[in-house]
Amino acid sequence: MKYKINIGSILLKSSNFLALLISFIIAIFIQDINFGTFIALGALFFYYYLPQTNHMGIKTICLCGLVGLFSFLLISTTSFLLWLTPLLLSLICSVFYFYNKLWNLKNPGPFLLVMIACFAGVNNALNPYIIIKSLLFIVLGIIIALSLALVNEFIFDFFGFEKSIDKTKHMKIRISRIPSNLLMRSFFYGFAIFLFFYISKSLNLFHFYWAVMACSAVLQAESMPTIFKRHRIYLISTMVGCLISYLVLMMPLSLITTMGLILIFNSLIYWKMATNYLVGNFFTTPMAILFAKLSSPVINDTSILSRLIAIIIGTTIAFITVYIVSYLKTRLVS
């Protein structure tokens, strides 16, 4: 039994590596690295796959991919309206956060959704050609991730490897049965994202979307002690990640070298995040910096400092938000 679990783990890690590798090979083949990064972005949806009974892992990756595509399209077409983008983003994230917690879905939760929506909101007034082209490349990346997930599902079923038990819950239709504390947490989750997206973009903060994603990651914690721990871990891991990024950017990076390092960092994140959140987060910053460098070769070490500042601000806002939610919850109970 232990042997089977190890084989399954190796399959998942190999597939995660292949999803990004295939994306980069296609990007090189079409000779469009800038848009090719969108293929890699779609391939990251493999993070949502987990072999579960009732094929729930496949259903989850399909659902999250569709929500991600809808978010990207909606926010891309409204990104020229400063007030509307954060409003739509916060609404989508609130609903998905509520759905994610109510149905007890596994893996990254709304975080990757926030990331893909933030990338859509970075550019203003995108023309229809760019929006459609970007969307099609993301679809291609999701297809790559889904195809590898289906291969894993077939191997797990064919060889009888053990899957995780599907612990998802059925949607409760009656409003009276929906937990009020989950409604409150979902509202504040969306509100924090709205507030920081609007403020940071209005102030033209460099790489503001990193702060929004950091805020989202910390907000996914369940309780005040957990969020305090995650806030502390996120800051420590970001500092280590910034140091790694600085050392990486000092190297003469060719296109192949950059892609190779992204593959290594992505694999390290996938391998370690579930077992050691601190160590797994060491590599998110250098991976993000190198992704940015692919689409914008002028990226330099000043981006490292801006990411550190953005994450400090984003995680602090998340910490304050959860503190307010906990305080209000205590007051309502008393």
Side-chain angles (χ1 to χ4, degrees), residues 24 33 248-249 251-265 286-287 289-295:
F24 285 150
I33 302 302
V248 167
L249 289 181
M251 300 165 54
L253 297 175
S254 65
L255 175 63
I256 300 301
T257 304
T258 302
M259 289 181 171
L261 286 171
I262 291 174
L263 286 169
I264 292 171
F265 291 140
M287 180 177 163
I289 292 287
L290 291 176
F291 255 121
K293 194 169 182 63
L294 277 183
S295 56

Side-chain angles (χ1 to χ4, degrees), residues 24 33-38 40-41 44 115 119 122 206-210 213 245 248-249 253 255 258-259 262 265 284-304 306-307:
F24 285 150
I33 302 302
N34 191 14
F35 277 97
T37 54
F38 286 103
L41 184 63
L44 290 178
M115 183 175 76
F119 278 118
V122 167
F206 189 52
H207 294 316
F208 69 91
Y209 50 90
W210 284 343
M213 289 186 285
S245 300
V248 167
L249 289 181
L253 297 175
L255 175 63
T258 302
M259 289 181 171
I262 291 174
F265 291 140
T284 55
T285 294
M287 180 177 163
I289 292 287
L290 291 176
F291 255 121
K293 194 169 182 63
L294 277 183
S295 56
S296 179
V298 296
I299 291 291
N300 52 38
D301 53 8
T302 58
S303 301
I304 300 173
S306 66
R307 178 175 170 88

Side-chain angles (χ1 to χ4, degrees), residues 184-195:
M184 181 185 295
R185 281 162 49 202
S186 302
F187 171 78
F188 275 97
Y189 181 88
F191 179 74
I193 290 174
F194 167 83
L195 184 64

Side-chain angles (χ1 to χ4, degrees), residues 112-167:
L112 190 54
L113 174 66
V114 173
M115 183 175 76
I116 196 171
C118 282
F119 278 118
V122 167
N123 298 306
N124 293 323
L126 293 175
N127 63 60
Y129 171 76
I130 294 177
I131 293 174
I132 294 172
K133 187 176 180 180
S134 302
L135 200 65
L136 289 175
F137 280 162
I138 294 173
V139 169
L140 178 57
I142 294 174
I143 290 173
I144 293 170
L146 183 59
S147 299
L148 288 167
L150 286 169
V151 170
N152 276 267
E153 201 77 1
F154 172 78
I155 294 174
F156 269 76
D157 289 340
F158 185 81
F159 290 100
F161 292 163
E162 185 178 358
K163 295 183 179 181
S164 300
I165 298 174
D166 177 15
K167 296 182 179 179

Side-chain angles (χ1 to χ4, degrees), residues 197-270:
F197 193 108
Y198 186 85
I199 292 174
S200 56
K201 195 169 184 182
S202 298
L203 296 175
N204 293 317
L205 294 181
F206 189 52
H207 294 316
F208 69 91
Y209 50 90
W210 284 343
V212 180
M213 289 186 285
C215 181
S216 168
V218 173
L219 279 172
Q220 290 180 191
E222 296 290 340
S223 62
M224 196 65 194
T226 307
I227 198 168
F228 181 74
K229 180 181 178 181
R230 182 168 287 196
H231 177 264
R232 186 175 68 253
I233 287 174
Y234 217 95
L235 291 181
I236 295 171
S237 60
T238 299
M239 292 176 187
V240 175
C242 286
L243 177 60
I244 296 173
S245 300
Y246 181 75
L247 296 174
V248 167
L249 289 181
M250 289 178 64
M251 300 165 54
L253 297 175
S254 65
L255 175 63
I256 300 301
T257 304
T258 302
M259 289 181 171
L261 286 171
I262 291 174
L263 286 169
I264 292 171
F265 291 140
N266 176 63
S267 296
L268 290 170
I269 292 167
Y270 188 82

